[in-house]
Amino acid sequence: MTSGTITADTARSRRSLLFPSVVSGLVLGVAGGLLAAFAVSRFASGDRALDQVVVAGYAGWTLCFFIGVGAFHHPVRWGFGRAEPTHREERELAGEGQGAWRYFRFTTDHKVIGIQYLITVLVLFLVGGLAAALIRLEQSQPGARFLPPSTYNTVVGVHGIIMIAATIIMISGPFGNFIVPIAIGARDMAFPRLNALSYWLLFAAIPVFLSTFALGGFDTGWTGYAPLADQAPAGMDAYAFTIVLFGISVAIAAVNIITTVVTLRAPGMRWSRLPVFVWGIMLSVLLGMIAFPSFMLAEVMVLCDRVAGTSFFVSAFGGSQWLYEQLFWFMGHPEVYVIALPSLAVVVEMVSVFSRKPVFAYRTVVGGMIGIALVGCIVWAHHLYTSGANTPFDGPFMLTTELISVPTGVVFLVAIGTLWRGKIWLTVPMLFGIGALVNFIIGGVTGLYLADVPTDEVFHGGMFVAAHFHFTLVGGMVFGFFGACYYWFPKMFGRRLNETLGRWHFWLFEIGFYGVFLPLFYAGLHGEPRWLAYIPPKFAGANLIASMFFGLLIAGVSVFGYNIVSSWRSGPVAAANEWGGNSLEWTVPSPVPLENFETLPVVTASPYDYGGEASGPEVTGPSGPVTAPATEA
Amino acid sequence: MTQRPGSGRSDHHLRNVLVWWVVLSVLAEIGWLVAGPLLMPAAASSDAVFANTTIVVFTALAIPVALFVWVFMAYSLIRFRVKSRPSEAGPHLVASNGQQIAWLGITGALCLFLVIWGLFGMYQASTDPPGRPLIVDVTAQQWTWTFRYPSAGVSSNQLVLPVGRPVEFEVTSLDVVHGFDVHAFSVRLDANPGSVIATNIVTPTRLGSFSVRCVELCGLYHAYMWAPVKVVSDQDFAAWLRDAAQGSRGGAGA
Ligand SMILES: [Cu+2]
């Protein structure tokens, strides 16, 4: 009954295409920002005037951007008691009949939003990667060579915060939006308009953040420690305001994803049949929802200190730097598990599919991920071992920090158990999944020294720490993201990525990655501090090697970028079930139709039931029950 | 959770992989115990020696664990790999309760060992050596260090210490958070504005030149915030204090 095609009223569509859209959003947003800044500049005075003008401008930009992009259209209509949107209007809002233009509008279709997130994440990685290139350039030679210290500090901070933001959303954003609703058998997210809002909040934060370059940058690094943040140039306001927008975006996305998974699962999709990937996404955003508000709050306080002259973090007036540090790390450590959970879940998913074997211990690995999310909330104070703040915390937090390796270790038991005696098909996504596991072990082991209070005194604030968390976040998690890209690209774009290029990407990146960070472990062990615009000659050798291997990372990423663009334009058409997976996203055609399923599926088995009694889950499709066999040739 | 009885062929795989694991672990341990200590940085205090030992021991413990995973994965990828899209499913093999409990138990026990080791290290670092420590007030500001010896009324831009005498640093900052760190002593504490906090008491054990580095990003010239550390004999230290005291008095008059 739903298949009767509704021909879009093209004239009407064309009229409403430009308004509302990102174009009208940008126009109104810039105008609103300038207007607000101008209005406040009439009243602002004293040495906080610039901060007041800048923050007013950001507020004006945000409000007017959302008016322009059409975010308020339906809430206002609803608030004034107008008629509920018709089914046709809902489909229009979901982007029906707008072609590529729907990616530039406040479109509610979760698949459009997933692709918007994916492109945005790739762009953020590109900007963050350029900043990394500048860092490696500066540190390739001892002394201050290429960048003045103020620029260098800003570049380090920009690299850090962009990469952290991008890794937080890199899987939950693109694949959490695109894949999760399909994988649980839903037609869309629970709150499609909030979904669009969360994406466009992220979008609106990016120009705010980039404006830091015009305002003198910020010299605090990604951690934004106060009271240094209180005295930083006006570029600091950009950082703080970005975090506030980003935090709201993350919270809205989290509420949406959790509600979707809890309420919109297809009949028969019991919790025990939920794909591990969906568990990973849900637990990750839940953890983010708990952790992120404290960072947002800290940045609101920084803005108050800077704009209104309060003294949350000024010790001379009763404030405390430790307050900032506690609030920051209360987000800062759970956040690495926010990044880790989806990535590990993708890896477990791929290992099962490409070994054609059940997840070795489904309940235990889900329990392990729940354990990571719980214990992840109580490890933050290990970042404050050497801050002088709270000696009584040191022992208990050393315990929790080392304890969290137990639930994390379950993932490895499951990985090796699932691979064992499997029919291992080493595709490109599988290659990245295996790489993630191999690299993550090194990241985990080097974390042991940092969890230990006495040895942390050797490493804290040094290059060893930087190398360690790059091994977890890049070696472990970004490899998982790359795997997810190769795994779901055929589903999202209906085309295959080139396999040879994919293998080149893997090996260039893997070798380059070890070449960059192993020397930095060594330099850190021997006392190189982080954040140096000026490398002492003692560490020149290690840093030069690291900088040279960075070239391989650039090569690997270029191959990846070329692969995406060329395959998207002219790659071979992908099959609906490209890899022989059993979860629901492989039962719908590629590209996926607007409402995903013609008839909602009924789930009767776990997606990992390889080699079991039934050779795959039975899914009731439009033409009666169809089996998605694990073994199709 | 059930497990199919392993066939003879699977036992043979299991034996192979365990042999590989043991052999590689033994080789890696020998390699690490020879090369590891050589990789460690110079240690000029007992705390730093202990930190280096900790790194060597933790790594030695981690090697067989990491290799267990790596060897299992590598063996599987080599022996069980199929060249093209698999036409049939693998065996329906899921973990037995025993395997899971063993895994959790072993990783849990290793973690517990690390925690106990760490608590012992913390206890050792916090026990004060006999004798009255030399007090040095450390003041950080953007972007220099000042070291004051209150017992002698001396301040200096370099940290000079007598060998073998316990020393306690009282650390503060005049502006933002800095990180006071003498890597060779394994002593490290943030310099916080508005509070003076004492480090653990450390005893320099080696004559020589080292450095204080700032390890918290503290603004524009963070990278330049180093100060020299000299560990000298008792006589040299006394002579240096005398000279410096005269210099300070002269400086104070100017
Ligand atoms: Cu400093």
Side-chain angles (χ1 to χ4, degrees):
Chain A
M1 66 175 186
T2 49
S3 58
T5 20
I6 302 160
T7 320
D9 179 355
T10 42
R12 214 193 100 140
S13 294
R14 214 172 284 138
R15 198 175 60 238
S16 66
L17 275 183
L18 219 51
F19 178 85
S21 77
V22 67
V23 176
S24 57
L26 288 171
V27 171
L28 266 184
V30 169
L34 290 175
L35 202 68
F38 177 74
V40 169
S41 72
R42 310 299 296 162
F43 307 102
S45 62
D47 51 4
R48 298 184 191 284
L50 181 57
D51 298 309
Q52 291 162 354
V53 168
V54 164
V55 172
Y58 293 153
W61 147 262
T62 309
L63 185 69
C64 294
F65 173 79
F66 281 102
I67 294 174
V69 86
F72 296 121
H73 186 68
H74 283 273
V76 166
R77 199 169 117 160
W78 174 81
F80 281 98
R82 304 280 170 79
E84 289 285 313
T86 62
H87 187 65
R88 182 173 131 181
E89 281 172 321
E90 292 280 14
R91 288 178 70 104
E92 243 181 77
L93 200 59
E96 188 177 51
Q98 292 159 26
W101 188 241
R102 68 190 193 277
Y103 294 101
F104 300 94
R105 308 193 68 206
F106 196 80
T107 304
T108 54
D109 181 9
H110 70 99
K111 298 181 287 298
V112 172
I113 294 168
I115 287 172
Q116 286 171 330
Y117 263 111
L118 182 62
I119 307 288
T120 308
V121 164
L122 291 173
V123 169
L124 288 177
F125 275 141
L126 193 67
V127 177
L130 286 175
L134 288 176
I135 294 170
R136 290 304 342 134
L137 178 70
E138 178 58 50
Q139 296 200 332
S140 62
Q141 302 276 316
R145 282 300 166 90
F146 301 101
L147 304 175
S150 62
T151 313
Y152 179 83
N153 289 343
T154 299
V155 164
V156 167
V158 165
H159 166 71
I161 200 73
I162 286 196
M163 289 307 206
I164 288 291
T167 46
I168 285 174
I169 57 173
M170 67 184 172
I171 295 181
S172 310
F175 311 109
N177 272 301
F178 196 108
I179 301 298
V180 163
I182 311 177
I184 62 169
R187 292 196 195 282
D188 203 332
M189 297 284 260
F191 308 118
R193 280 185 211 113
L194 280 186
N195 201 14
L197 185 64
S198 72
Y199 170 75
W200 288 105
L201 272 164
L202 172 69
F203 183 91
I206 293 171
V208 170
F209 184 66
L210 293 180
S211 71
T212 192
F213 288 109
L215 296 167
F218 59 101
D219 52 6
T220 60
W222 84 276
T223 51
Y225 267 23
L228 182 59
D230 283 6
Q231 51 157 264
M236 196 73 220
D237 298 320
Y239 169 96
F241 204 90
T242 303
I243 296 306
V244 175
L245 290 182
F246 184 70
I248 300 172
S249 162
V250 166
I252 291 175
V255 169
N256 206 351
I257 290 175
I258 294 165
T259 313
T260 305
V261 177
V262 171
T263 62
L264 294 186
R265 279 168 296 132
M269 180 61 87
R270 302 179 198 146
W271 290 107
S272 58
R273 290 174 183 164
L274 204 61
V276 173
F277 167 67
V278 178
W279 276 108
I281 294 282
M282 191 178 71
L283 290 166
S284 158
V285 296
L286 182 63
L287 185 58
M289 209 167 69
I290 295 166
F292 227 88
S294 75
F295 186 23
M296 259 175 71
L297 180 65
E299 293 313 318
V300 169
M301 290 152 96
V302 165
L303 282 175
C304 289
D305 275 10
R306 293 177 57 88
V307 172
T310 55
S311 59
F312 287 108
F313 307 123
V314 185
S315 59
F317 299 97
S320 167
Q321 68 286 342
W322 291 317
L323 175 62
Y324 183 89
E325 291 168 23
Q326 301 278 12
L327 287 172
F328 178 82
W329 288 115
F330 186 79
M331 174 286 302
H333 209 91
E335 162 252 300
V336 303
Y337 299 108
V338 171
I339 299 168
L341 282 167
S343 200
L344 294 174
V346 169
V347 172
V348 170
E349 187 87 21
M350 293 193 302
V351 165
S352 168
V353 169
F354 291 119
S355 304
R356 296 293 195 266
K357 278 190 57 208
V359 170
F360 191 54
Y362 176 87
R363 277 165 201 276
T364 314
V365 81
V366 170
M369 292 198 298
I370 294 172
I372 291 174
L374 290 175
V375 183
C377 291
I378 46 167
V379 296
W380 82 90
H382 66 228
H383 291 273
L384 288 97
Y385 286 160
T386 62
S387 70
N390 41 18
T391 326
F393 268 17
D394 289 355
F397 274 82
M398 184 167 67
L399 174 69
T400 54
T401 304
E402 279 164 357
L403 203 65
I404 204 166
S405 47
V406 175
T408 314
V410 171
V411 172
F412 291 95
L413 171 70
V414 166
I416 60 178
T418 309
L419 286 169
W420 189 246
R421 292 172 59 208
K423 306 281 174 200
I424 300 175
W425 186 21
L426 198 54
T427 58
V428 175
M430 180 68 159
L431 200 54
F432 276 100
I434 299 290
L437 291 168
V438 170
N439 303 340
F440 188 52
I441 287 192
I442 296 177
V445 167
T446 51
L448 296 178
Y449 320 125
L450 306 175
D452 185 70
V453 176
T455 43
D456 187 53
E457 300 205 356
V458 179
F459 292 124
H460 201 106
M463 196 49 112
F464 192 93
V465 176
H468 153 72
F469 70 71
H470 280 85
F471 250 92
T472 57
L473 292 184
V474 183
M477 306 314 141
V478 174
F479 271 65
F481 163 75
F482 285 143
C485 283
Y486 284 95
Y487 186 61
W488 281 305
F489 188 92
K491 182 52 64 188
M492 293 171 80
F493 297 93
R495 288 180 189 275
R496 284 182 199 163
L497 285 167
N498 183 293
E499 187 178 338
T500 313
L501 290 180
R503 290 181 192 277
W504 272 100
H505 170 204
F506 175 81
W507 287 109
L508 285 170
F509 207 90
E510 177 80 349
I511 294 166
F513 177 73
Y514 278 75
V516 171
F517 288 104
L518 291 181
L520 295 184
F521 272 129
Y522 183 79
L525 182 62
H526 284 261
E528 184 187 337
R530 280 166 78 181
W531 304 301
L532 291 193
Y534 182 116
I535 289 290
K538 183 184 174 190
F539 308 114
N543 277 279
L544 181 61
I545 296 173
S547 294
M548 291 194 312
F549 273 98
F550 193 82
L552 290 188
L553 295 186
I554 295 176
V557 168
S558 307
V559 170
F560 180 50
Y562 172 78
N563 197 355
I564 286 183
V565 173
S566 68
S567 303
W568 171 67
R569 291 164 62 129
S570 57
V573 173
N577 191 351
E578 184 65 22
W579 310 112
N582 286 336
S583 43
L584 287 173
E585 76 266 30
W586 305 112
T587 63
V588 296
S590 315
V592 186
L594 181 61
E595 289 185 328
N596 302 347
F597 301 94
E598 251 183 87
T599 323
L600 280 184
V602 176
V603 182
T604 55
S606 153
Y608 307 113
D609 204 17
Y610 290 104
E613 304 303 307
S615 63
E618 256 189 22
V619 174
T620 313
S623 51
V626 288
T627 315
T631 54
E632 62 164 356
Chain B
M1 307 244 166
T2 56
Q3 192 186 11
R4 275 185 194 171
S7 64
R9 198 165 149 64
S10 131
D11 289 346
H12 138 89
H13 283 309
L14 199 61
R15 199 184 58 230
N16 283 354
V17 85
L18 289 176
V19 168
W20 273 108
W21 172 58
V22 170
V23 169
L24 287 174
S25 294
V26 169
L27 289 177
E29 289 288 5
I30 292 171
W32 172 250
L33 293 176
V34 172
L38 301 176
L39 285 172
M40 291 301 123
S45 76
S46 56
D47 286 0
V49 171
F50 185 74
N52 283 358
T53 310
T54 305
I55 297 168
V56 172
V57 170
F58 279 19
T59 311
L61 267 183
I63 283 173
V65 179
L67 279 175
F68 187 82
V69 176
W70 284 336
V71 168
F72 256 94
M73 291 203 310
Y75 188 90
S76 300
L77 289 177
I78 294 167
R79 293 305 301 268
F80 307 131
R81 185 172 172 186
V82 294
K83 282 292 162 203
S84 56
R85 189 186 176 107
S87 53
E88 54 179 16
H92 189 88
L93 195 70
V94 290
S96 68
N97 287 340
Q99 286 167 327
Q100 300 184 56
I101 290 167
W103 182 271
L104 291 174
I106 290 168
T107 51
L110 285 171
C111 280
L112 215 57
F113 173 81
L114 299 183
V115 173
I116 292 167
W117 179 284
L119 288 174
F120 173 73
M122 283 167 70
Y123 167 75
Q124 220 186 26
S126 65
T127 40
D128 299 346
R132 203 166 47 84
L134 173 69
I135 305 284
V136 180
D137 292 342
V138 177
T139 306
Q141 70 192 95
Q142 288 169 324
W143 290 272
T144 60
W145 298 100
T146 310
F147 307 101
R148 236 168 43 79
Y149 298 77
S151 53
V154 163
S155 22
S156 162
N157 287 326
Q158 57 176 334
L159 180 59
V160 181
L161 296 171
V163 71
R165 168 130 184 233
V167 53
E168 184 179 62
F169 302 99
E170 310 242 324
V171 184
T172 189
S173 162
L174 297 183
D175 37 49
V176 301
V177 181
H178 298 268
F180 170 73
D181 180 40
V182 186
H183 192 249
F185 299 164
S186 187
V187 61
R188 190 231 181 276
L189 187 67
D190 277 359
N192 289 295
S195 348
V196 182
I197 302 173
T199 61
N200 290 329
I201 298 176
V202 289
T203 311
T205 52
R206 270 170 54 173
L207 295 172
S209 297
F210 309 98
S211 49
V212 172
R213 48 177 202 163
C214 177
V215 288
E216 287 292 350
L217 185 48
C218 56
L220 192 57
Y221 292 113
H222 163 67
Y224 296 78
M225 203 167 151
W226 298 70
V229 178
K230 285 194 184 123
V231 179
V232 296
S233 67
D234 270 342
Q235 297 90 314
D236 288 353
F237 180 67
W240 176 79
L241 267 191
R242 246 191 334 270
D243 291 353
Q246 272 157 14
S248 297
R249 251 167 252 137

